[in-house]
């Protein structure tokens, strides 16, 4: 079962007024839906909700919802925040079967950029997809989708087939090996590298020229 447990209360008052009342009482209002059942208005203690939210394992992951003695697996699909205070204002939970497949967006994480020679050669990473929707068992949702940049070269296109995932993780896009990112030539980086090479070549040429100039013979005079 999931690591995070949300102890919820069912809200009798729904709508904007009910949500405001929940916030005034120190709770975060939410909605529980899915699973072929009617939506239910719920709330969670704001302090507990924040604690779970900031673990990074709440949104988009399987969690356990508890109401009294009852419990069920759910996925936190969305959290709305106050744009000024960043206080959580509302959340959505979706009922799931923990062994059934669910569709969910998972973030793409790029690693080992410092081990990719392309970036030292003036390349830059152009990200096409910051997240990918996948089909995966609810109890096996990955934290992120990892792309290892080590060994990639300038001009490389990174596709879904380059992402290392367990066999039970499938993309919802199935008609092609879609692009995640590419390593493109950065004109600014190439220009800087070119300038350094040019300076080095000019210095080498100047030193070589200075070494080839013969010294003037003593007593040499020019004729008439």
């Amino acid at each position: 079962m999931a690591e995070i447990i949300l102890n919820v209360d069912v809200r009798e008052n729904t709508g904007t007024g009910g949500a405001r009342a929940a916030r005034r009482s120190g709770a975060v209002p939410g909605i529980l839906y899915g699973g072929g059942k009617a939506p239910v208005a719920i709330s969670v203690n704001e302090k507990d909700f924040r604690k779970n939210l900031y673990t990074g394992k709440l949104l988009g992951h399987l969690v356990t919802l508890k109401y009294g003695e009852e419990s069920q697996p759910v996925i936190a699909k969305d959290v709305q925040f106050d744009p000024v205070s960043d206080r959580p204002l509302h959340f959505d939970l979706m009922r799931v079967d923990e062994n059934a497949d669910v569709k969910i967006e998972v973030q793409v994480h790029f690693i080992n950029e410092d081990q990719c020679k392309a970036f030292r050669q003036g390349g830059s990473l152009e990200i096409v997809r910051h997240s990918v929707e996948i089909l995966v068992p609810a109890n096996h949702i990955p934290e992120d989708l990892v792309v290892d940049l080590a060994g990639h070269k300038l001009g490389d296109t990174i596709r879904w087939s380059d992402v290392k995932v367990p066999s039970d993780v499938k993309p919802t896009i199935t008609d092609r090996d879609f692009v995640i990112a590419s390593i493109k030539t950065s004109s600014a980086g190439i220009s800087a590298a070119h300038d350094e090479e040019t300076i080095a070549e000019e210095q080498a040429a100047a030193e070589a020229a200075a070494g080839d100039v013969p010294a003037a013979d003593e007593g040499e005079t020019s004729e008439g």
Side-chain angles (χ1 to χ4, degrees):
M1 191 59 82
E3 297 178 4
I4 291 178
I5 297 175
L6 289 179
N7 291 290
V8 305
D9 293 313
V10 174
R11 291 187 288 125
E12 295 182 0
N13 298 323
T14 59
T16 303
R20 288 175 177 170
R23 295 187 195 104
R24 284 196 299 269
S25 69
V28 183
I31 191 78
L32 173 66
Y33 67 95
K37 299 179 181 180
V40 177
I42 58 176
S43 64
V44 177
N45 176 276
E46 182 175 350
K47 183 178 179 181
D48 293 340
F49 187 81
R50 283 176 176 268
K51 181 180 178 180
N52 288 317
L53 180 63
Y54 297 146
T55 63
K57 296 181 178 180
L58 174 62
L59 189 60
H61 292 80
L62 186 70
V63 301
T64 298
L65 178 148
K66 291 198 71 174
Y67 173 63
E69 297 299 320
E70 298 181 16
S71 65
Q72 61 182 295
V74 298
I75 288 179
K77 293 287 287 186
D78 185 44
V79 179
Q80 298 170 22
F81 297 92
D82 185 287
V84 177
S85 66
D86 206 33
R87 178 187 181 187
L89 297 178
H90 192 275
F91 63 94
D92 295 346
L93 298 180
M94 183 179 72
R95 302 181 185 96
V96 296
D97 177 344
E98 62 178 316
N99 297 310
D101 287 349
V102 295
K103 290 182 180 180
I104 191 164
E105 288 266 343
V106 176
Q107 294 292 312
V108 178
H109 182 208
F110 298 89
I111 64 171
N112 292 330
E113 185 171 343
D114 59 333
Q115 297 179 33
C116 180
K117 292 182 179 179
F119 299 112
R120 295 195 294 272
Q121 297 170 343
S124 62
L125 184 66
E126 184 174 286
I127 300 174
V128 176
R129 296 178 185 274
H130 291 273
S131 63
V132 175
E133 185 180 60
I134 60 173
L135 187 66
V136 61
N139 60 357
H140 202 188
I141 299 172
E143 293 288 331
D144 51 19
L145 302 171
V146 178
V147 175
D148 190 348
L149 295 173
H152 277 288
K153 306 181 296 299
L154 272 175
D156 277 2
T157 297
I158 300 167
R159 299 181 179 275
W160 170 256
S161 57
D162 296 307
V163 184
K164 306 304 181 186
V165 295
S167 58
D168 57 0
V169 175
K170 308 292 184 184
T172 57
I173 299 174
T174 58
D175 61 341
R176 64 190 184 279
D177 188 14
F178 54 89
V179 176
I180 302 293
S182 60
I183 302 177
K184 297 206 168 182
T185 299
S186 168
S187 57
I190 291 227
S191 176
H194 177 71
D195 289 344
E196 290 180 1
E197 290 177 2
T198 300
I199 292 172
E201 289 174 0
E202 289 177 351
Q203 288 177 340
E207 291 173 0
D212 290 340
V213 174
D217 292 336
E218 291 184 7
E220 181 181 0
T221 59
S222 57
E223 297 181 358

